[in-house]
Amino acid sequence: DQENYTSSLWIAEGFTSYYDDLIVKRCGLMSTRDYLDILQKNIAYTLNAPGDAIQSIGESGFDAWIKYYRQNENTYNAQVNYYTKGSVLAMLLDLMIITGSQGAYHLDHVMREAYHTFYVQQDAGYSEDAFRAILEKYCGHDLRAFYADHVFGTKPVDPRPLLQQVGVQMVISPATDDLAMTGYTLQNGNVISFIRANSAAAQAGLQVGDEIIAINNYRHNDTLLNILLHSGTAPLHYLVDRKGRLEQYMLTPGNNNKIDVSLELTGEANTLLAVWLESRNSN
């Protein structure tokens, strides 16, 4: 009948986003390589989001009614996606449980106990603290620091140690795509639709809605920017149409702290990897 304000959409929606891919992998309908490709994309999206340093995922869920479904060109710079980051946190908790219990438990055990405790026995919803208590039972340690850092805080996640324990190496490298080098994306061919916070485009003074007419006195087209970036030309001189007025700006390409993430199997035999990714019985 009315809005239900909660800070736990990272559980209700994020865990769903985690399981929707994992279940497909367990069923044998997706290869390990394809699954790792999805994970590395989600991790990179989370680590690259400027909003991750501004808004906690708990706040993101609580503000969903007034912000998440009213997105604008600055949303990625100022907000956190509780679906994607929630799936990354679910993965971390799953790996925490698996490695801490040496494969005896995994996140499924948490979800089953939560279902029987809150729904079957109590016929009620759950509080953040009550769900955390079940997580802690299977993790085997207090999670208040994890919550303070990653649920109600903005400390960046680092999945590398946990992934390494299950035989997956995570490598971070500087991104080299156009968005990494310029800080903007386009729509309709040449109209700026997004500018990454603190990027080269932001520092140059470009704005969302600017229509790029020319770069370095060459008329803008689909391949011009890529050619100029790979030629090492810097700075780049932009001629743009801003609401009918021609303006000139100078952009110096730079990485802007955007990263690429790759996940690779270490090649070593690891029973915990199977516990994580393979099909399971109902125990």
Side-chain angles (χ1 to χ4, degrees), residues 144-192:
R144 281 178 292 185
F146 179 89
Y147 269 64
D149 289 341
H150 305 305
V151 177
F152 299 113
T154 57
K155 184 177 180 179
V157 297
D158 185 1
R160 287 175 291 185
L162 287 168
L163 285 169
Q164 189 70 36
Q165 291 185 61
V166 296
V168 178
Q169 183 180 27
M170 172 177 155
V171 177
I172 295 176
S173 58
T176 57
D177 58 276
D178 289 358
L179 175 60
M181 301 306 293
T182 64
Y184 67 78
T185 57
L186 299 174
Q187 65 181 9
N188 301 326
N190 64 338
V191 178
I192 295 177

mmCIF file of all heavy atoms in Angstrom, residues 144-192:
data_model
loop_
_atom_site.group_PDB
_atom_site.id
_atom_site.type_symbol
_atom_site.label_atom_id
_atom_site.label_comp_id
_atom_site.label_asym_id
_atom_site.label_seq_id
_atom_site.Cartn_x
_atom_site.Cartn_y
_atom_site.Cartn_z
ATOM 1 N N ARG A 144 30.504 -7.285 11.940
ATOM 2 C CA ARG A 144 30.223 -5.855 12.124
ATOM 3 C C ARG A 144 31.207 -4.982 11.361
ATOM 4 O O ARG A 144 30.829 -3.934 10.818
ATOM 5 C CB ARG A 144 30.215 -5.514 13.611
ATOM 6 C CG ARG A 144 28.914 -5.894 14.321
ATOM 7 C CD ARG A 144 28.944 -5.591 15.794
ATOM 8 N NE ARG A 144 29.900 -6.453 16.507
ATOM 9 C CZ ARG A 144 30.048 -6.461 17.817
ATOM 10 N NH1 ARG A 144 29.308 -5.659 18.573
ATOM 11 N NH2 ARG A 144 30.919 -7.268 18.383
ATOM 12 N N ALA A 145 32.465 -5.385 11.288
ATOM 13 C CA ALA A 145 33.446 -4.600 10.541
ATOM 14 C C ALA A 145 33.133 -4.629 9.044
ATOM 15 O O ALA A 145 33.246 -3.606 8.354
ATOM 16 C CB ALA A 145 34.858 -5.132 10.802
ATOM 17 N N PHE A 146 32.722 -5.802 8.535
ATOM 18 C CA PHE A 146 32.341 -5.927 7.126
ATOM 19 C C PHE A 146 31.167 -5.003 6.817
ATOM 20 O O PHE A 146 31.159 -4.297 5.800
ATOM 21 C CB PHE A 146 31.972 -7.380 6.828
ATOM 22 C CG PHE A 146 31.543 -7.636 5.414
ATOM 23 C CD1 PHE A 146 32.471 -7.969 4.439
ATOM 24 C CD2 PHE A 146 30.195 -7.551 5.043
ATOM 25 C CE1 PHE A 146 32.077 -8.214 3.119
ATOM 26 C CE2 PHE A 146 29.796 -7.788 3.734
ATOM 27 C CZ PHE A 146 30.738 -8.120 2.774
ATOM 28 N N TYR A 147 30.165 -5.005 7.677
ATOM 29 C CA TYR A 147 29.002 -4.143 7.490
ATOM 30 C C TYR A 147 29.396 -2.667 7.555
ATOM 31 O O TYR A 147 28.936 -1.849 6.747
ATOM 32 C CB TYR A 147 27.945 -4.440 8.547
ATOM 33 C CG TYR A 147 26.938 -5.494 8.134
ATOM 34 C CD1 TYR A 147 27.333 -6.804 7.899
ATOM 35 C CD2 TYR A 147 25.594 -5.186 7.977
ATOM 36 C CE1 TYR A 147 26.421 -7.780 7.521
ATOM 37 C CE2 TYR A 147 24.669 -6.143 7.592
ATOM 38 C CZ TYR A 147 25.088 -7.437 7.366
ATOM 39 O OH TYR A 147 24.174 -8.393 6.979
ATOM 40 N N ALA A 148 30.246 -2.320 8.521
ATOM 41 C CA ALA A 148 30.658 -0.924 8.678
ATOM 42 C C ALA A 148 31.424 -0.442 7.447
ATOM 43 O O ALA A 148 31.266 0.709 7.011
ATOM 44 C CB ALA A 148 31.517 -0.768 9.930
ATOM 45 N N ASP A 149 32.247 -1.330 6.886
ATOM 46 C CA ASP A 149 33.072 -0.940 5.738
ATOM 47 C C ASP A 149 32.298 -0.940 4.424
ATOM 48 O O ASP A 149 32.423 0.002 3.625
ATOM 49 C CB ASP A 149 34.266 -1.898 5.588
ATOM 50 C CG ASP A 149 35.303 -1.707 6.676
ATOM 51 O OD1 ASP A 149 35.300 -0.645 7.321
ATOM 52 O OD2 ASP A 149 36.115 -2.633 6.871
ATOM 53 N N HIS A 150 31.497 -1.979 4.184
ATOM 54 C CA HIS A 150 30.957 -2.205 2.846
ATOM 55 C C HIS A 150 29.451 -2.078 2.708
ATOM 56 O O HIS A 150 28.946 -1.929 1.595
ATOM 57 C CB HIS A 150 31.384 -3.588 2.359
ATOM 58 C CG HIS A 150 32.861 -3.810 2.398
ATOM 59 N ND1 HIS A 150 33.753 -2.966 1.768
ATOM 60 C CD2 HIS A 150 33.621 -4.777 3.018
ATOM 61 C CE1 HIS A 150 34.984 -3.400 1.974
ATOM 62 N NE2 HIS A 150 34.930 -4.476 2.727
ATOM 63 N N VAL A 151 28.704 -2.145 3.811
ATOM 64 C CA VAL A 151 27.252 -2.008 3.748
ATOM 65 C C VAL A 151 26.829 -0.593 4.128
ATOM 66 O O VAL A 151 26.074 0.059 3.405
ATOM 67 C CB VAL A 151 26.539 -3.041 4.648
ATOM 68 C CG1 VAL A 151 25.027 -2.826 4.604
ATOM 69 C CG2 VAL A 151 26.889 -4.458 4.212
ATOM 70 N N PHE A 152 27.347 -0.125 5.252
ATOM 71 C CA PHE A 152 27.005 1.227 5.699
ATOM 72 C C PHE A 152 28.161 2.203 5.525
ATOM 73 O O PHE A 152 28.063 3.364 5.926
ATOM 74 C CB PHE A 152 26.548 1.188 7.159
ATOM 75 C CG PHE A 152 25.332 0.329 7.364
ATOM 76 C CD1 PHE A 152 25.415 -0.841 8.087
ATOM 77 C CD2 PHE A 152 24.121 0.671 6.798
ATOM 78 C CE1 PHE A 152 24.302 -1.652 8.265
ATOM 79 C CE2 PHE A 152 23.000 -0.124 6.963
ATOM 80 C CZ PHE A 152 23.089 -1.298 7.695
ATOM 81 N N GLY A 153 29.252 1.730 4.936
ATOM 82 C CA GLY A 153 30.396 2.575 4.623
ATOM 83 C C GLY A 153 30.727 2.496 3.145
ATOM 84 O O GLY A 153 30.058 1.805 2.379
ATOM 85 N N THR A 154 31.757 3.206 2.738
ATOM 86 C CA THR A 154 32.102 3.290 1.314
ATOM 87 C C THR A 154 33.515 2.784 1.040
ATOM 88 O O THR A 154 34.138 3.184 0.054
ATOM 89 C CB THR A 154 31.970 4.739 0.809
ATOM 90 O OG1 THR A 154 32.815 5.601 1.610
ATOM 91 C CG2 THR A 154 30.538 5.226 0.902
ATOM 92 N N LYS A 155 34.030 1.908 1.890
ATOM 93 C CA LYS A 155 35.352 1.337 1.646
ATOM 94 C C LYS A 155 35.286 0.409 0.443
ATOM 95 O O LYS A 155 34.418 -0.452 0.367
ATOM 96 C CB LYS A 155 35.830 0.566 2.870
ATOM 97 C CG LYS A 155 37.240 0.013 2.736
ATOM 98 C CD LYS A 155 37.696 -0.678 4.012
ATOM 99 C CE LYS A 155 39.109 -1.224 3.870
ATOM 100 N NZ LYS A 155 39.580 -1.878 5.127
ATOM 101 N N PRO A 156 36.200 0.554 -0.531
ATOM 102 C CA PRO A 156 36.160 -0.318 -1.719
ATOM 103 C C PRO A 156 36.354 -1.783 -1.346
ATOM 104 O O PRO A 156 37.111 -2.112 -0.432
ATOM 105 C CB PRO A 156 37.343 0.188 -2.564
ATOM 106 C CG PRO A 156 37.612 1.574 -2.070
ATOM 107 C CD PRO A 156 37.277 1.564 -0.607
ATOM 108 N N VAL A 157 35.662 -2.645 -2.057
ATOM 109 C CA VAL A 157 35.821 -4.084 -1.826
ATOM 110 C C VAL A 157 37.111 -4.563 -2.496
ATOM 111 O O VAL A 157 37.568 -3.973 -3.481
ATOM 112 C CB VAL A 157 34.627 -4.886 -2.371
ATOM 113 C CG1 VAL A 157 33.350 -4.499 -1.655
ATOM 114 C CG2 VAL A 157 34.481 -4.682 -3.878
ATOM 115 N N ASP A 158 37.679 -5.636 -1.965
ATOM 116 C CA ASP A 158 38.860 -6.262 -2.568
ATOM 117 C C ASP A 158 38.650 -7.774 -2.558
ATOM 118 O O ASP A 158 38.979 -8.450 -1.589
ATOM 119 C CB ASP A 158 40.128 -5.897 -1.805
ATOM 120 C CG ASP A 158 41.377 -6.441 -2.492
ATOM 121 O OD1 ASP A 158 41.249 -7.074 -3.557
ATOM 122 O OD2 ASP A 158 42.492 -6.239 -1.960
ATOM 123 N N PRO A 159 38.093 -8.317 -3.641
ATOM 124 C CA PRO A 159 37.793 -9.753 -3.672
ATOM 125 C C PRO A 159 39.020 -10.645 -3.851
ATOM 126 O O PRO A 159 38.910 -11.868 -3.766
ATOM 127 C CB PRO A 159 36.869 -9.886 -4.893
ATOM 128 C CG PRO A 159 36.448 -8.492 -5.248
ATOM 129 C CD PRO A 159 37.575 -7.632 -4.814
ATOM 130 N N ARG A 160 40.185 -10.077 -4.121
ATOM 131 C CA ARG A 160 41.346 -10.877 -4.508
ATOM 132 C C ARG A 160 41.743 -11.946 -3.495
ATOM 133 O O ARG A 160 41.984 -13.106 -3.892
ATOM 134 C CB ARG A 160 42.535 -9.949 -4.816
ATOM 135 C CG ARG A 160 42.385 -9.196 -6.133
ATOM 136 C CD ARG A 160 43.486 -8.199 -6.366
ATOM 137 N NE ARG A 160 43.399 -7.079 -5.421
ATOM 138 C CZ ARG A 160 44.194 -6.007 -5.458
ATOM 139 N NH1 ARG A 160 45.144 -5.932 -6.379
ATOM 140 N NH2 ARG A 160 44.040 -5.031 -4.592
ATOM 141 N N PRO A 161 41.840 -11.645 -2.195
ATOM 142 C CA PRO A 161 42.272 -12.699 -1.256
ATOM 143 C C PRO A 161 41.325 -13.887 -1.215
ATOM 144 O O PRO A 161 41.780 -15.046 -1.199
ATOM 145 C CB PRO A 161 42.315 -11.963 0.092
ATOM 146 C CG PRO A 161 42.497 -10.521 -0.254
ATOM 147 C CD PRO A 161 41.720 -10.336 -1.519
ATOM 148 N N LEU A 162 40.024 -13.645 -1.209
ATOM 149 C CA LEU A 162 39.057 -14.743 -1.147
ATOM 150 C C LEU A 162 39.024 -15.534 -2.451
ATOM 151 O O LEU A 162 38.953 -16.771 -2.436
ATOM 152 C CB LEU A 162 37.665 -14.204 -0.818
ATOM 153 C CG LEU A 162 37.458 -13.745 0.629
ATOM 154 C CD1 LEU A 162 36.156 -12.963 0.769
ATOM 155 C CD2 LEU A 162 37.459 -14.937 1.582
ATOM 156 N N LEU A 163 39.087 -14.851 -3.574
ATOM 157 C CA LEU A 163 39.095 -15.548 -4.858
ATOM 158 C C LEU A 163 40.337 -16.425 -4.981
ATOM 159 O O LEU A 163 40.275 -17.537 -5.506
ATOM 160 C CB LEU A 163 39.039 -14.537 -6.003
ATOM 161 C CG LEU A 163 37.681 -13.870 -6.250
ATOM 162 C CD1 LEU A 163 37.825 -12.700 -7.214
ATOM 163 C CD2 LEU A 163 36.674 -14.877 -6.801
ATOM 164 N N GLN A 164 41.461 -15.919 -4.501
ATOM 165 C CA GLN A 164 42.700 -16.689 -4.567
ATOM 166 C C GLN A 164 42.577 -18.005 -3.813
ATOM 167 O O GLN A 164 43.108 -19.035 -4.224
ATOM 168 C CB GLN A 164 43.857 -15.863 -3.992
ATOM 169 C CG GLN A 164 45.241 -16.467 -4.200
ATOM 170 C CD GLN A 164 45.687 -16.425 -5.648
ATOM 171 O OE1 GLN A 164 45.393 -15.479 -6.369
ATOM 172 N NE2 GLN A 164 46.410 -17.440 -6.092
ATOM 173 N N GLN A 165 41.837 -17.983 -2.706
ATOM 174 C CA GLN A 165 41.692 -19.189 -1.890
ATOM 175 C C GLN A 165 40.873 -20.282 -2.572
ATOM 176 O O GLN A 165 40.974 -21.454 -2.212
ATOM 177 C CB GLN A 165 41.054 -18.841 -0.542
ATOM 178 C CG GLN A 165 41.955 -18.032 0.377
ATOM 179 C CD GLN A 165 41.322 -17.833 1.738
ATOM 180 O OE1 GLN A 165 41.040 -18.786 2.465
ATOM 181 N NE2 GLN A 165 41.087 -16.580 2.108
ATOM 182 N N VAL A 166 40.064 -19.890 -3.567
ATOM 183 C CA VAL A 166 39.290 -20.905 -4.289
ATOM 184 C C VAL A 166 39.867 -21.157 -5.678
ATOM 185 O O VAL A 166 39.204 -21.757 -6.537
ATOM 186 C CB VAL A 166 37.796 -20.518 -4.385
ATOM 187 C CG1 VAL A 166 37.170 -20.459 -3.006
ATOM 188 C CG2 VAL A 166 37.607 -19.193 -5.121
ATOM 189 N N GLY A 167 41.078 -20.686 -5.913
ATOM 190 C CA GLY A 167 41.757 -20.985 -7.168
ATOM 191 C C GLY A 167 41.480 -20.045 -8.304
ATOM 192 O O GLY A 167 41.623 -20.430 -9.474
ATOM 193 N N VAL A 168 41.088 -18.817 -8.000
ATOM 194 C CA VAL A 168 40.826 -17.810 -9.038
ATOM 195 C C VAL A 168 41.711 -16.598 -8.779
ATOM 196 O O VAL A 168 41.691 -16.035 -7.680
ATOM 197 C CB VAL A 168 39.348 -17.387 -9.071
ATOM 198 C CG1 VAL A 168 39.119 -16.305 -10.130
ATOM 199 C CG2 VAL A 168 38.454 -18.586 -9.341
ATOM 200 N N GLN A 169 42.460 -16.209 -9.781
ATOM 201 C CA GLN A 169 43.317 -15.034 -9.657
ATOM 202 C C GLN A 169 42.634 -13.827 -10.283
ATOM 203 O O GLN A 169 42.188 -13.878 -11.427
ATOM 204 C CB GLN A 169 44.666 -15.268 -10.328
ATOM 205 C CG GLN A 169 45.640 -14.100 -10.161
ATOM 206 C CD GLN A 169 46.978 -14.355 -10.825
ATOM 207 O OE1 GLN A 169 47.058 -15.109 -11.801
ATOM 208 N NE2 GLN A 169 48.032 -13.755 -10.318
ATOM 209 N N MET A 170 42.558 -12.755 -9.523
ATOM 210 C CA MET A 170 41.971 -11.516 -10.019
ATOM 211 C C MET A 170 43.087 -10.521 -10.299
ATOM 212 O O MET A 170 43.899 -10.215 -9.432
ATOM 213 C CB MET A 170 40.991 -10.941 -8.989
ATOM 214 C CG MET A 170 40.471 -9.553 -9.332
ATOM 215 S SD MET A 170 39.245 -8.981 -8.119
ATOM 216 C CE MET A 170 39.420 -7.195 -8.296
ATOM 217 N N VAL A 171 43.134 -10.028 -11.544
ATOM 218 C CA VAL A 171 44.163 -9.082 -11.968
ATOM 219 C C VAL A 171 43.510 -7.750 -12.309
ATOM 220 O O VAL A 171 42.514 -7.714 -13.045
ATOM 221 C CB VAL A 171 44.948 -9.610 -13.177
ATOM 222 C CG1 VAL A 171 45.969 -8.581 -13.651
ATOM 223 C CG2 VAL A 171 45.631 -10.929 -12.832
ATOM 224 N N ILE A 172 44.056 -6.673 -11.761
ATOM 225 C CA ILE A 172 43.561 -5.325 -12.043
ATOM 226 C C ILE A 172 44.575 -4.607 -12.923
ATOM 227 O O ILE A 172 45.774 -4.615 -12.634
ATOM 228 C CB ILE A 172 43.347 -4.532 -10.736
ATOM 229 C CG1 ILE A 172 42.232 -5.177 -9.908
ATOM 230 C CG2 ILE A 172 43.010 -3.076 -11.037
ATOM 231 C CD1 ILE A 172 42.015 -4.508 -8.563
ATOM 232 N N SER A 173 44.091 -3.988 -13.989
ATOM 233 C CA SER A 173 44.975 -3.243 -14.890
ATOM 234 C C SER A 173 44.284 -1.950 -15.322
ATOM 235 O O SER A 173 43.049 -1.862 -15.303
ATOM 236 C CB SER A 173 45.322 -4.095 -16.118
ATOM 237 O OG SER A 173 44.145 -4.492 -16.797
ATOM 238 N N PRO A 174 45.064 -0.936 -15.713
ATOM 239 C CA PRO A 174 44.449 0.319 -16.168
ATOM 240 C C PRO A 174 43.620 0.097 -17.423
ATOM 241 O O PRO A 174 44.048 -0.586 -18.352
ATOM 242 C CB PRO A 174 45.659 1.218 -16.461
ATOM 243 C CG PRO A 174 46.789 0.616 -15.690
ATOM 244 C CD PRO A 174 46.532 -0.853 -15.679
ATOM 245 N N ALA A 175 42.415 0.648 -17.444
ATOM 246 C CA ALA A 175 41.555 0.530 -18.622
ATOM 247 C C ALA A 175 42.073 1.433 -19.735
ATOM 248 O O ALA A 175 42.666 2.487 -19.481
ATOM 249 C CB ALA A 175 40.121 0.904 -18.272
ATOM 250 N N THR A 176 41.863 1.021 -20.966
ATOM 251 C CA THR A 176 42.357 1.797 -22.113
ATOM 252 C C THR A 176 41.247 2.123 -23.109
ATOM 253 O O THR A 176 41.532 2.547 -24.222
ATOM 254 C CB THR A 176 43.471 1.017 -22.840
ATOM 255 O OG1 THR A 176 42.967 -0.261 -23.248
ATOM 256 C CG2 THR A 176 44.681 0.823 -21.938
ATOM 257 N N ASP A 177 39.991 1.932 -22.733
ATOM 258 C CA ASP A 177 38.901 2.241 -23.649
ATOM 259 C C ASP A 177 38.690 3.746 -23.733
ATOM 260 O O ASP A 177 39.272 4.523 -22.979
ATOM 261 C CB ASP A 177 37.615 1.540 -23.194
ATOM 262 C CG ASP A 177 37.220 1.943 -21.782
ATOM 263 O OD1 ASP A 177 37.754 1.332 -20.826
ATOM 264 O OD2 ASP A 177 36.423 2.878 -21.638
ATOM 265 N N ASP A 178 37.833 4.158 -24.669
ATOM 266 C CA ASP A 178 37.615 5.593 -24.888
ATOM 267 C C ASP A 178 37.106 6.295 -23.638
ATOM 268 O O ASP A 178 37.511 7.430 -23.341
ATOM 269 C CB ASP A 178 36.629 5.798 -26.038
ATOM 270 C CG ASP A 178 37.226 5.436 -27.390
ATOM 271 O OD1 ASP A 178 38.408 5.061 -27.428
ATOM 272 O OD2 ASP A 178 36.498 5.515 -28.409
ATOM 273 N N LEU A 179 36.187 5.646 -22.898
ATOM 274 C CA LEU A 179 35.654 6.273 -21.692
ATOM 275 C C LEU A 179 36.763 6.487 -20.668
ATOM 276 O O LEU A 179 36.805 7.503 -19.986
ATOM 277 C CB LEU A 179 34.547 5.417 -21.088
ATOM 278 C CG LEU A 179 33.980 5.890 -19.749
ATOM 279 C CD1 LEU A 179 33.385 7.298 -19.870
ATOM 280 C CD2 LEU A 179 32.927 4.930 -19.220
ATOM 281 N N ALA A 180 37.690 5.515 -20.580
ATOM 282 C CA ALA A 180 38.791 5.660 -19.626
ATOM 283 C C ALA A 180 39.674 6.840 -19.988
ATOM 284 O O ALA A 180 40.151 7.564 -19.116
ATOM 285 C CB ALA A 180 39.619 4.372 -19.588
ATOM 286 N N MET A 181 39.900 7.040 -21.283
ATOM 287 C CA MET A 181 40.830 8.077 -21.716
ATOM 288 C C MET A 181 40.206 9.463 -21.783
ATOM 289 O O MET A 181 40.886 10.470 -21.599
ATOM 290 C CB MET A 181 41.403 7.713 -23.091
ATOM 291 C CG MET A 181 42.139 6.364 -23.118
ATOM 292 S SD MET A 181 43.444 6.243 -21.852
ATOM 293 C CE MET A 181 44.600 7.467 -22.458
ATOM 294 N N THR A 182 38.903 9.539 -22.052
ATOM 295 C CA THR A 182 38.264 10.854 -22.198
ATOM 296 C C THR A 182 37.317 11.189 -21.053
ATOM 297 O O THR A 182 37.182 12.344 -20.672
ATOM 298 C CB THR A 182 37.468 10.935 -23.511
ATOM 299 O OG1 THR A 182 36.395 9.983 -23.465
ATOM 300 C CG2 THR A 182 38.377 10.639 -24.704
ATOM 301 N N GLY A 183 36.615 10.162 -20.541
ATOM 302 C CA GLY A 183 35.685 10.397 -19.444
ATOM 303 C C GLY A 183 34.272 10.691 -19.880
ATOM 304 O O GLY A 183 33.442 11.075 -19.057
ATOM 305 N N TYR A 184 33.936 10.499 -21.169
ATOM 306 C CA TYR A 184 32.563 10.744 -21.590
ATOM 307 C C TYR A 184 32.070 9.617 -22.490
ATOM 308 O O TYR A 184 32.844 8.880 -23.085
ATOM 309 C CB TYR A 184 32.417 12.086 -22.303
ATOM 310 C CG TYR A 184 33.116 12.202 -23.645
ATOM 311 C CD1 TYR A 184 32.574 11.647 -24.792
ATOM 312 C CD2 TYR A 184 34.317 12.905 -23.762
ATOM 313 C CE1 TYR A 184 33.200 11.759 -26.028
ATOM 314 C CE2 TYR A 184 34.955 13.023 -24.984
ATOM 315 C CZ TYR A 184 34.400 12.453 -26.114
ATOM 316 O OH TYR A 184 35.023 12.558 -27.333
ATOM 317 N N THR A 185 30.738 9.512 -22.578
ATOM 318 C CA THR A 185 30.104 8.608 -23.544
ATOM 319 C C THR A 185 29.127 9.418 -24.389
ATOM 320 O O THR A 185 28.720 10.530 -24.004
ATOM 321 C CB THR A 185 29.348 7.464 -22.846
ATOM 322 O OG1 THR A 185 28.365 8.023 -21.949
ATOM 323 C CG2 THR A 185 30.296 6.590 -22.046
ATOM 324 N N LEU A 186 28.763 8.835 -25.540
ATOM 325 C CA LEU A 186 27.932 9.557 -26.500
ATOM 326 C C LEU A 186 26.622 8.836 -26.766
ATOM 327 O O LEU A 186 26.513 7.628 -26.590
ATOM 328 C CB LEU A 186 28.684 9.702 -27.832
ATOM 329 C CG LEU A 186 30.006 10.468 -27.810
ATOM 330 C CD1 LEU A 186 30.667 10.375 -29.181
ATOM 331 C CD2 LEU A 186 29.787 11.923 -27.409
ATOM 332 N N GLN A 187 25.634 9.603 -27.197
ATOM 333 C CA GLN A 187 24.396 9.058 -27.731
ATOM 334 C C GLN A 187 24.081 9.788 -29.027
ATOM 335 O O GLN A 187 24.553 10.915 -29.251
ATOM 336 C CB GLN A 187 23.241 9.216 -26.746
ATOM 337 C CG GLN A 187 22.847 10.652 -26.475
ATOM 338 C CD GLN A 187 21.706 10.764 -25.469
ATOM 339 O OE1 GLN A 187 21.321 9.780 -24.855
ATOM 340 N NE2 GLN A 187 21.176 11.964 -25.316
ATOM 341 N N ASN A 188 23.305 9.148 -29.896
ATOM 342 C CA ASN A 188 22.950 9.734 -31.192
ATOM 343 C C ASN A 188 24.183 10.141 -31.991
ATOM 344 O O ASN A 188 24.163 11.133 -32.730
ATOM 345 C CB ASN A 188 22.024 10.944 -31.000
ATOM 346 C CG ASN A 188 20.736 10.584 -30.287
ATOM 347 O OD1 ASN A 188 20.209 9.483 -30.466
ATOM 348 N ND2 ASN A 188 20.235 11.490 -29.470
ATOM 349 N N GLY A 189 25.266 9.416 -31.795
ATOM 350 C CA GLY A 189 26.467 9.633 -32.602
ATOM 351 C C GLY A 189 27.465 10.620 -32.054
ATOM 352 O O GLY A 189 28.664 10.341 -31.992
ATOM 353 N N ASN A 190 26.997 11.811 -31.624
ATOM 354 C CA ASN A 190 27.975 12.823 -31.223
ATOM 355 C C ASN A 190 27.509 13.723 -30.068
ATOM 356 O O ASN A 190 28.098 14.770 -29.829
ATOM 357 C CB ASN A 190 28.342 13.703 -32.419
ATOM 358 C CG ASN A 190 27.155 14.513 -32.935
ATOM 359 O OD1 ASN A 190 26.004 14.158 -32.697
ATOM 360 N ND2 ASN A 190 27.438 15.600 -33.644
ATOM 361 N N VAL A 191 26.466 13.322 -29.351
ATOM 362 C CA VAL A 191 25.971 14.119 -28.227
ATOM 363 C C VAL A 191 26.429 13.469 -26.917
ATOM 364 O O VAL A 191 26.179 12.275 -26.697
ATOM 365 C CB VAL A 191 24.436 14.243 -28.253
ATOM 366 C CG1 VAL A 191 23.947 15.033 -27.039
ATOM 367 C CG2 VAL A 191 23.991 14.911 -29.545
ATOM 368 N N ILE A 192 27.076 14.227 -26.068
ATOM 369 C CA ILE A 192 27.588 13.692 -24.812
ATOM 370 C C ILE A 192 26.420 13.352 -23.891
ATOM 371 O O ILE A 192 25.588 14.214 -23.585
ATOM 372 C CB ILE A 192 28.543 14.695 -24.130
ATOM 373 C CG1 ILE A 192 29.794 14.902 -24.996
ATOM 374 C CG2 ILE A 192 28.947 14.199 -22.740
ATOM 375 C CD1 ILE A 192 30.769 15.926 -24.433
#
